[in-house]
Amino acid sequence: MSAGSCALGLTTVYVGQIGKGLTLVEGKDVALLGYGTMVQNCLRAQTLLSKLGIEVTVADARFCKPLDMKLLRQLCKNHAFLVTVEEGSIGGFGSHVSQFIALDGQLDGRTKVISHIQIIPIRLFLLETNAFYAS
């Protein structure tokens, strides 16, 4: 058994490193950063958006604190849109990510951050994305 996994009965569970997220799918247009159970919804959205020709990165943040600063910087550097997806409320994971990105100087006018996607209609997201491709 490796240091990154543990056995629970007959099941092996990947534990990983505390504070490190995982990139599940690589894309170049939009990054979806999921937290908790919403990662599965990010994967579903990636499938739907790929049918529209939009290449989506899906990342699993895995932790709210500590944030994976390296992953966040990479997502901002490589994507025009970063969307946080969570079940929480205002002041939760999306706010934590937004604050880090702002304090880290990542909001240079190139990356747009959309937090709390559960209260932003996907239609608005698609309109923003289409405007991005039109310009």
Side-chain angles (χ1 to χ4, degrees):
M1 185 174 357
S2 67
S5 63
C6 65
L8 300 174
L10 299 175
T11 305
T12 301
V13 178
Y14 177 76
V15 176
Q17 186 177 357
I18 293 175
K20 296 294 178 191
L22 298 170
T23 300
L24 305 175
V25 179
E26 292 278 350
K28 64 178 175 118
D29 299 323
V30 177
L32 300 178
L33 179 60
Y35 182 67
T37 60
M38 297 305 285
V39 173
Q40 294 304 313
N41 289 342
C42 292
L43 291 169
R44 287 185 201 107
Q46 182 272 334
T47 301
L48 293 172
L49 291 170
S50 70
K51 292 177 183 176
L52 298 173
I54 301 170
E55 295 183 33
V56 178
T57 293
V58 176
D60 181 354
R62 297 188 62 232
F63 298 91
C64 183
K65 293 181 183 178
L67 281 175
D68 186 345
M69 295 180 280
K70 182 178 177 183
L71 176 63
L72 289 174
R73 288 179 181 128
Q74 177 186 9
L75 293 175
C76 287
K77 177 183 175 188
N78 296 330
H79 301 87
F81 291 92
L82 172 60
V83 182
T84 61
V85 185
E86 66 176 308
E87 288 184 28
S89 61
I90 294 174
F93 175 69
S95 296
H96 191 49
V97 169
S98 296
Q99 181 181 15
F100 167 76
I101 289 171
L103 293 175
D104 195 51
Q106 298 296 321
L107 293 178
D108 59 2
R110 185 182 130 11
T111 302
K112 295 179 183 177
V113 178
I114 302 173
S115 296
H116 313 298
I117 193 66
Q118 74 275 13
I119 59 174
I120 295 176
I122 194 69
R123 186 178 68 186
L124 172 64
F125 172 71
L126 291 174
L127 289 173
E128 284 276 341
T129 305
N130 287 335
F132 167 73
Y133 283 112
S135 58

